[in-house]
Amino acid sequence: MLGGGWFLGHAVAHEAMSRGWEVHVFNRGRTGAVPDGASPVHGDRTIAADLERLASAGPWDAVVDTSASELAPRDVLAGARVLERVARRYVYISTVNAYRGWPNESLTEGSELLDGPPDAGADYGRLPADWTGPDWHYGRQKAGAERAVTTVYGLGRTSVLRPGVILGPREYVGRLPWWLRRASRGGRMLAPGAPEKTIQPIDVRDVAAFALDQAVADSGGAYNCVAPVDQATMSDLLTACVLATGGHAQLIWASDKLLLNHEVRQWTELPLWRTHAGVWRIDSTRAQAAGLVCRPLADTVADTWAWMTEGGTPVEHPRWAEHGISPEKERAILAALGR
């Protein structure tokens, strides 16, 4: 495991040990907690000597890489070169942001990826400060990191997983926790867009299970790790939040137009609300055919609330503060609805 102490990495390590696997977890040991039973190897992926020390703890059947979200492709490339000597397969967790068409177009694994060389530095593709379009810098970095792994391991020994939004216990971004806390306050609760709009978040534990299945697969490939297009709606999500927290909130739906008129920031002020045509139109049938199973969204919501109320706390992260609309702004929009 590259990572293993935060959210997805912790879920992967926990699931691997539940399968009876021997797990080594490589991270800096500064945040999060390595699951009991895993063997920690502390080090920094950007330091060559630390990578060599990690390799000396092998060999392994597979590497599962969940900690490269802020690494430049060239750093992923360096790590893959060292680990190729001691690990048979490499499972790289990428993102749908690697597609040029996200979030404006429907996507399959055959959709065009963004440019991003395997040896690119952290500044490759950086956008102007006033850029308001898709986050192509992050996507280019992730696409480059995908190419870094496949350059070393080859397509047959590499599995690339491209999740969209991952939810569940230990979430550190703050999307689902914000909705749950808002629902727990009760009262009239602003609900964004159309109730019947489909959404595709996936449970962290389902991504973890699929990643481990790929770690022992006989072939490689790329997979969109999102829930099926028709599995859940925005109404399903928010209704589950209300029910999980006691049923005291009343959903009041506001149209996209009204929310845009009130300059509500998409994706963050009302988490998971976005008007772009392709944001929730990602095909995952290839992953499902390979064994991806997505539990009901209501189960993810209920389990996350249980984790929160039982004292669970996420790793501190600056993205948490980005999420949520202020009570004053919510009241103003509810007043504009006149009901």
Side-chain angles (χ1 to χ4, degrees):
M1 279 296 310
L2 300 181
W6 283 26
F7 179 40
L8 177 57
H10 189 278
V12 172
H14 186 272
E15 171 67 17
M17 288 187 296
S18 75
R19 298 185 181 193
W21 297 10
E22 181 182 351
V23 179
H24 286 74
V25 174
F26 179 72
N27 57 35
R28 293 176 297 179
R30 298 176 183 174
T31 55
V34 174
D36 292 340
S39 300
V41 182
H42 291 155
D44 190 320
R45 294 182 60 176
T46 64
I47 298 175
D50 287 358
L51 290 172
E52 290 293 343
R53 183 163 49 82
L54 171 63
S56 69
W60 299 284
D61 296 300
V63 174
V64 180
D65 185 352
T66 66
S67 68
S69 62
E70 297 179 2
L71 283 184
R74 67 185 177 194
D75 293 321
V76 177
L77 180 67
R81 283 172 172 163
V82 172
L83 292 172
E84 194 275 335
R85 307 193 304 261
V86 291
R88 183 176 63 87
R89 294 186 53 77
Y90 200 115
V91 180
Y92 178 70
I93 310 299
S94 185
T95 169
V96 295
N97 290 71
Y99 290 114
R100 182 173 295 278
W102 194 86
N104 296 308
E105 303 171 7
S106 299
L107 298 171
T108 70
E109 288 87 355
S111 299
E112 181 185 4
L113 294 176
L114 287 163
D115 58 306
D119 58 351
D123 287 333
Y124 181 85
R126 195 172 295 281
L127 300 162
D130 59 352
W131 179 260
T132 59
D135 188 1
W136 282 347
H137 174 247
Y138 177 61
R140 284 167 168 163
Q141 292 281 305
K142 296 295 277 187
E146 289 186 20
R147 295 183 179 105
V149 176
T150 56
T151 294
V152 175
Y153 271 80
L155 296 176
R157 297 168 62 203
T158 305
S159 290
V160 174
L161 277 54
R162 298 182 185 129
V165 171
I166 304 176
L167 303 178
R170 304 181 69 89
E171 183 200 334
Y172 64 88
V173 175
R175 296 180 176 113
L176 180 53
W178 186 86
W179 278 118
L180 284 162
R181 288 194 172 119
R182 173 61 190 89
S184 72
R185 296 202 306 268
R188 299 167 75 238
M189 174 175 156
L190 184 62
E196 68 277 7
K197 183 169 184 178
T198 57
I199 59 175
Q200 297 179 271
I202 188 169
D203 191 289
V204 63
R205 294 161 293 185
D206 297 333
V207 179
F210 185 67
L212 293 176
D213 291 344
Q214 288 302 302
V216 294
D218 293 328
S219 61
Y223 301 92
N224 293 333
C225 285
V226 298
V229 170
D230 58 353
Q231 180 164 303
T233 65
M234 184 64 78
S235 178
D236 293 332
L237 170 69
L238 300 188
T239 299
C241 289
V242 171
L243 293 175
T245 57
H248 302 300
Q250 177 190 3
L251 297 177
I252 306 296
W253 293 90
S255 68
D256 291 342
K257 181 178 180 181
L258 179 65
L259 296 174
L260 293 172
N261 286 342
H262 281 263
E263 298 182 341
V264 176
R265 294 193 307 276
Q266 298 190 47
W267 212 233
T268 54
E269 276 196 291
L270 292 173
L272 306 183
W273 169 68
R274 201 163 187 171
T275 61
H276 301 74
V279 66
W280 299 120
R281 304 299 300 178
I282 303 163
D283 182 78
S284 61
T285 54
R286 187 171 190 272
Q288 294 169 52
L292 175 66
V293 177
C294 298
R295 72 193 68 199
L297 183 55
D299 291 355
T300 303
V301 172
D303 291 347
T304 303
W305 181 242
W307 168 74
M308 293 169 63
T309 55
E310 291 166 5
T313 56
V315 173
E316 291 188 8
H317 196 276
R319 293 185 67 184
W320 188 280
E322 299 175 355
H323 294 92
I325 193 169
S326 70
E328 297 77 15
K329 190 169 184 178
E330 182 185 26
R331 285 195 293 269
I333 297 172
L334 290 171
L337 286 167
R339 62 183 191 274

